[in-house]
Amino acid sequence: MLLQKPTLYTDFYELTMAQGYFLSGRHEQPANFDYFFRSLPFDGGYVVFAGLSDLLETIENFTFHDDELDYLKEQGFKSGFLSYLKDFAFQGDIYSVKEGEVIFANEPVLRVEGNILETQILETLILNTLNFESLIATKSSRIKLAAGDKSVLDFGLRRSQGLGGLQASKASVIGGIGGSSNVLSGKLYDIDVSGTMAHSWVQSFEDELIAFRTYARHYPDASILLVDTYDTLRRGVPNAIKVAKELEEKGHKLIAIRLDSGDLAYLARQSRNMLDNAGLDYVKIAASNQLDEYVIKSLLDQDAPIDLFGVGTKLVTAYDDSALDGVYKLSSINGNPTLKISENIEKITLPDTKKLVRYLNEDGSFYCDGVLLEGEGDQDEVFHPRITHKSSRVSNLKSEELLSKVVDLGRVTITPPKPKQSAAYARERLAKLNQEHKRFDNPHVYKVGVSKKLRDLKNQLVQKG
């Protein structure tokens, strides 16, 4: 678990509200909260849901220790409330979509049920975990989509935001990337780790050829040589060819060369010709240097003969869209449906306990999603949540419910999936999402509708104010 003591990893107002509920005698009132996001990142068409396994593990260990209670006492919290927290453990229920699920804006993908205090106090933890990991998993899936059958690795730890690099590497694998240079994430999450060399290795020797030979001597069956330290085509690649031939004489093979600067398409083509002319067609070409889905797509559109991409900064920092705008909103309190009303119509939330249903085309591909009240059955149509005249017919379509219970009375009821398992599920689900939703430029908007009963309930509550 990343956080051995997670309870203070929160915003101060979660605790002040929790104490307020306790002191006013309202802390046992039943409540429901929904987690969802309002807009899709990267101007894209979908999100890959990630972070559930980390969240569940943290919630299981969500208890207040004596040193934490002492700190809260110093911050002015009252003794009666601190006594309550001493024995605190989450005792509610959580429903969620599967990790790796393909999800869309304005649909509840995780629901927390319990008393108002315990459901409130988890807010920051839920948002921090799910927003970040889902964002990175989505970026990863876009990069892998651009790369196609080419291998992609995460090289981003040195550029990540502190310890967030651990979750970024894990989420990258869920999104589809094959492995990481991040050793600790490899150990914690059972993901494949690999790496090459840095320019400093080459610079530390008096000669590039000696640097390559020394590395190959130590790693005769796992050498990837970085060829751009001095002059890629006049020195780096020729020296790599010499070492590859020497390895062949000893019964070994050079794995690859790596390009990390310059015109990657041009250098890859020239390097490929040089390697092939030397009889080294088996030596692969890896490329790095500020790559993302757009650069990779451009390289492959130019038929650049690159076999492996190392993606760093723009993956683990979600460089072009720094945050997923996930929110955690109260949907019922003490058995009564509630919603947040806003001057911005798109920020008005959906009330009451809900389920999420996915409707499928005849070929099994995704048609649309419907947000329904928990007790509702089959629907003839689902309605646009804001534009009254828009709806989608769903009668006679196959459907599947996406929310299932993952925590029952505080006890985790599933075996949290490993990243590779979630990656396999994400790959399966993305295959069912039509191409128009996956394109990078102006992706088609996936339909998310609400049932008539839910729409009417929302309108009644808005009018009631």
Side-chain angles (χ1 to χ4, degrees):
M1 187 177 70
L2 294 179
L3 286 171
Q4 297 302 318
K5 293 183 176 182
T7 50
L8 299 190
Y9 189 63
T10 190
D11 287 304
F12 192 70
Y13 82 163
E14 310 290 7
L15 294 168
T16 56
M17 285 190 290
Q19 179 171 253
Y21 292 135
F22 178 80
L23 294 176
S24 60
R26 301 176 59 237
H27 58 290
E28 295 293 344
Q29 289 184 351
N32 288 355
F33 279 86
D34 294 323
Y35 167 78
F36 61 96
F37 57 90
R38 292 193 177 105
S39 60
L40 293 159
F42 316 117
D43 294 322
Y46 65 91
V47 161
V48 174
F49 180 71
L52 179 64
S53 54
D54 279 338
L55 178 64
L56 294 180
E57 185 178 5
T58 306
I59 288 174
E60 273 198 312
N61 293 275
F62 198 88
T63 56
F64 287 85
H65 297 81
D66 288 342
D67 61 320
E68 296 170 314
L69 295 173
D70 290 341
Y71 175 76
L72 293 179
K73 184 177 180 180
E74 293 173 5
Q75 304 309 308
F77 286 92
K78 298 183 181 300
S79 59
F81 177 60
L82 296 177
S83 295
Y84 175 85
L85 292 185
K86 187 175 181 63
D87 298 319
F88 178 86
F90 180 73
Q91 298 295 318
D93 300 336
I94 298 177
Y95 296 78
S96 177
V97 302
K98 291 182 180 180
E99 189 160 55
E101 184 61 84
V102 177
I103 56 175
F104 306 93
N106 298 307
E107 56 184 25
V109 295
L110 183 133
R111 183 174 82 241
V112 182
E113 300 178 353
N115 68 52
I116 184 63
L117 191 154
E118 65 183 345
T119 53
Q120 181 74 70
I121 211 167
L122 293 181
E123 175 183 8
T124 298
L125 180 65
I126 288 171
L127 291 174
N128 178 271
T129 304
L130 299 184
N131 282 349
F132 180 66
E133 293 196 32
S134 297
L135 182 73
I136 302 302
T138 305
K139 186 67 171 177
S140 169
S141 78
R142 289 166 59 85
I143 290 170
K144 181 56 181 171
L145 183 65
D149 60 358
K150 307 290 185 179
S151 298
V152 185
L153 297 176
D154 153 42
F155 284 179
L157 180 59
R158 290 165 298 142
R159 304 289 177 81
S160 63
Q161 284 95 342
L163 293 178
L166 295 171
Q167 292 166 284
S169 295
K170 174 202 171 190
S172 296
V173 170
I174 292 173
I177 282 178
S180 176
S181 65
N182 187 336
V183 180
L184 184 54
S185 279
K187 179 180 184 298
L188 291 174
Y189 298 121
D190 188 29
I191 62 180
D192 296 335
V193 293
S194 63
T196 60
M197 61 169 61
H199 294 106
S200 57
W201 172 269
V202 179
Q203 292 173 271
S204 71
F205 290 83
E206 64 271 25
D207 178 84
E208 183 180 60
L209 182 57
I210 295 174
F212 286 177
R213 282 173 171 160
T214 304
Y215 197 85
R217 183 170 71 250
H218 296 313
Y219 305 103
D221 296 307
S223 286
I224 299 176
L225 303 178
L226 181 59
V227 296
D228 74 327
T229 303
Y230 302 116
D231 189 311
T232 300
L233 298 180
R234 287 191 289 183
R235 294 177 61 181
V237 177
N239 283 334
I241 289 172
K242 289 178 184 177
V243 171
K245 289 297 184 180
E246 292 167 1
L247 282 171
E248 282 186 340
E249 292 174 0
K250 298 174 183 178
H252 304 287
K253 288 185 175 182
L254 179 66
I255 299 298
I257 63 170
R258 177 160 73 95
L259 306 169
D260 190 50
S261 61
D263 187 329
L264 295 178
Y266 170 76
L267 292 174
R269 280 193 290 271
Q270 296 301 312
S271 299
R272 184 75 271 161
N273 289 336
M274 294 168 71
L275 291 167
D276 290 351
N277 290 337
L280 299 171
D281 59 337
Y282 60 84
V283 175
K284 297 184 182 300
I285 297 176
S288 50
N289 188 30
Q290 298 299 315
L291 301 181
D292 63 9
E293 63 267 44
Y294 299 102
V295 175
I296 290 174
K297 183 177 184 302
S298 174
L299 289 168
L300 295 181
D301 285 347
Q302 297 172 68
D303 295 322
I306 297 172
D307 305 289
L308 184 152
F309 295 98
V311 185
T313 305
K314 293 188 176 181
L315 167 62
V316 300
T317 66
Y319 191 81
D320 46 345
D321 206 337
S322 59
L324 182 66
D325 68 336
V327 294
Y328 184 75
K329 296 299 182 183
L330 185 68
S331 60
S332 75
I333 180 69
N334 210 22
N336 298 311
T338 185
L339 50 67
K340 175 186 179 295
I341 298 176
S342 172
E343 295 295 330
N344 299 327
I345 190 170
E346 67 274 8
K347 287 192 173 184
I348 298 176
T349 61
L350 295 173
D352 216 344
T353 306
K354 299 170 290 292
K355 60 183 177 180
L356 180 61
V357 177
R358 178 154 294 163
Y359 297 97
L360 309 174
N361 294 306
E362 288 187 5
D363 61 0
S365 62
F366 302 159
Y367 172 66
C368 75
D369 289 359
V371 184
L372 284 58
L373 292 169
E374 178 63 25
E376 291 193 82
D378 295 339
Q379 302 291 304
D380 290 328
E381 57 186 332
V382 291
F383 299 84
H384 193 286
R386 295 183 299 276
I387 304 174
T388 56
H389 67 276
K390 285 191 174 183
S391 66
S392 298
R393 299 290 300 179
V394 295
S395 57
N396 301 320
L397 292 180
K398 291 183 179 179
S399 63
E400 53 188 21
E401 291 196 25
L402 298 186
L403 294 174
S404 60
K405 184 179 282 190
V406 296
V407 176
D408 180 47
L409 299 177
R411 183 178 61 86
V412 175
T413 59
I414 65 168
T415 300
K418 299 289 187 181
K420 291 179 183 177
Q421 294 173 306
S422 297
Y425 183 71
R427 189 164 54 247
E428 170 192 326
R429 301 299 275 180
L430 281 166
K432 296 183 178 183
L433 182 65
N434 291 328
Q435 289 297 326
E436 60 264 26
H437 304 298
K438 292 186 278 192
R439 64 187 181 221
F440 296 157
D441 296 323
N442 300 311
H444 192 63
V445 176
Y446 185 84
K447 297 175 183 176
V448 177
V450 300
S451 68
K452 183 178 184 301
K453 284 187 177 180
L454 178 55
R455 184 190 65 179
D456 292 346
L457 175 61
K458 174 185 173 182
N459 291 339
Q460 289 169 15
L461 293 174
V462 168
Q463 291 171 7
K464 184 179 177 182

